[in-house]
Amino acid sequence: MASGIEVVPGLVHYPGYLDRAAQEALRDELRRIVAAAPFFQPRMPRTGKPFSVQMTNCGPLGWVSDEAGYRYQPTHPTTGEPWPPMPPRLLAAWAELAPGAPPPEACLVNFYDAGARMALHQDRDEAELSAPIVSLSLGDTALFRVGGLTRGAPTRSFRLASGDAMTLGGPARLAFHGVDRILAGSSTLLAEGGRINLTLRRVTRA
Ligand code: SIN
Ligand code: FE2
């Protein structure tokens, strides 16, 4: 069983959860996913301001954002095709890191180039909040920030490196979190550089 560090109650960090061979295998699977479901540029609700992060998804549902709002939907916003299936190794990570939770329905794939970041937010578009969010990171290290249940609560930051896993569950399931910055050049996994983060989510009530 993977050994984790509880950073704040409910947030467990598993440094080096995936070894290099597993990271490379997942990277190669993601290439096939992105070939079928290309990265798209999400936009902020109402304003339409583009995110600095590019996104795609795999699994029965995918998270999208545009002028109409945040939501999960079964198809890619530009191709209109269903999202590619979730690779078995992601289902295996969920089974290990979220034991007893109902199966994941969405895997959001975020791509950060050297200048990308993600503002503090809560993951609360899911109806099933008893299941954790399971995160896997590949490529350049991120400076990740976690806070509390209100935007003004104190925050702390730590690094998520290539191969690290993290779960946000229990009292941290609705914790504010974000990515302050990417440490460019910190990993050799992605030939073009940058960071990929995968978050596995249960969406509907089990
Ligand atoms: C997210 O909150 O959707 C992504 C977090 C991360 O990139 O580590
Ligand atoms: Fe999030």
Side-chain angles (χ1 to χ4, degrees), residues 122 147-154 170-176:
Q122 292 171 295
L149 300 181
T150 60
R151 192 171 281 284
R173 176 61 183 77
L174 289 174
F176 277 86

Side-chain angles (χ1 to χ4, degrees), residues 118 121-123 168 177 199 201:
M118 187 172 289
H121 66 278
Q122 292 171 295
D123 288 359
L168 279 172
H177 61 277
T199 44
R201 297 122 182 268

Side-chain angles (χ1 to χ4, degrees), residues 38-206:
F39 281 113
F40 60 92
Q41 190 94 61
R43 302 185 301 277
M44 289 297 288
R46 294 189 310 276
T47 65
K49 182 176 183 285
F51 286 41
S52 60
V53 174
Q54 297 181 69
M55 297 181 172
T56 188
N57 292 269
C58 58
L61 292 173
W63 190 86
V64 301
S65 179
D66 58 22
E67 287 80 350
Y70 304 138
R71 63 194 177 277
Y72 284 94
Q73 63 180 45
T75 54
H76 189 287
T78 53
T79 69
E81 295 290 325
W83 304 106
M86 249 186 251
R89 78 177 60 247
L90 294 182
L91 300 173
W94 177 271
E96 187 174 33
L97 298 172
E105 294 170 302
C107 174
L108 174 63
V109 182
N110 288 329
F111 177 75
Y112 297 77
D113 66 18
R117 55 187 295 279
M118 187 172 289
L120 273 189
H121 66 278
Q122 292 171 295
D123 288 359
R124 56 171 195 193
D125 299 320
E126 302 75 28
E128 181 57 82
L129 293 172
S130 72
I133 301 284
V134 171
S135 150
L136 296 171
S137 292
L138 295 176
D140 287 340
T141 296
L143 196 59
F144 184 84
R145 184 167 295 277
V146 62
L149 300 181
T150 60
R151 192 171 281 284
T155 63
R156 57 179 294 183
S157 69
F158 60 98
R159 291 173 179 211
L160 285 178
S162 196
D164 289 6
M166 181 186 76
T167 56
L168 279 172
R173 176 61 183 77
L174 289 174
F176 277 86
H177 61 277
V179 172
D180 290 351
R181 65 189 180 93
I182 302 300
L183 307 183
S186 50
S187 166
T188 57
L189 186 74
L190 305 176
E192 313 291 314
R195 170 176 185 256
I196 293 175
N197 175 260
L198 292 81
T199 44
L200 298 159
R201 297 122 182 268
R202 175 73 195 192
V203 179
T204 63
R205 293 291 287 274

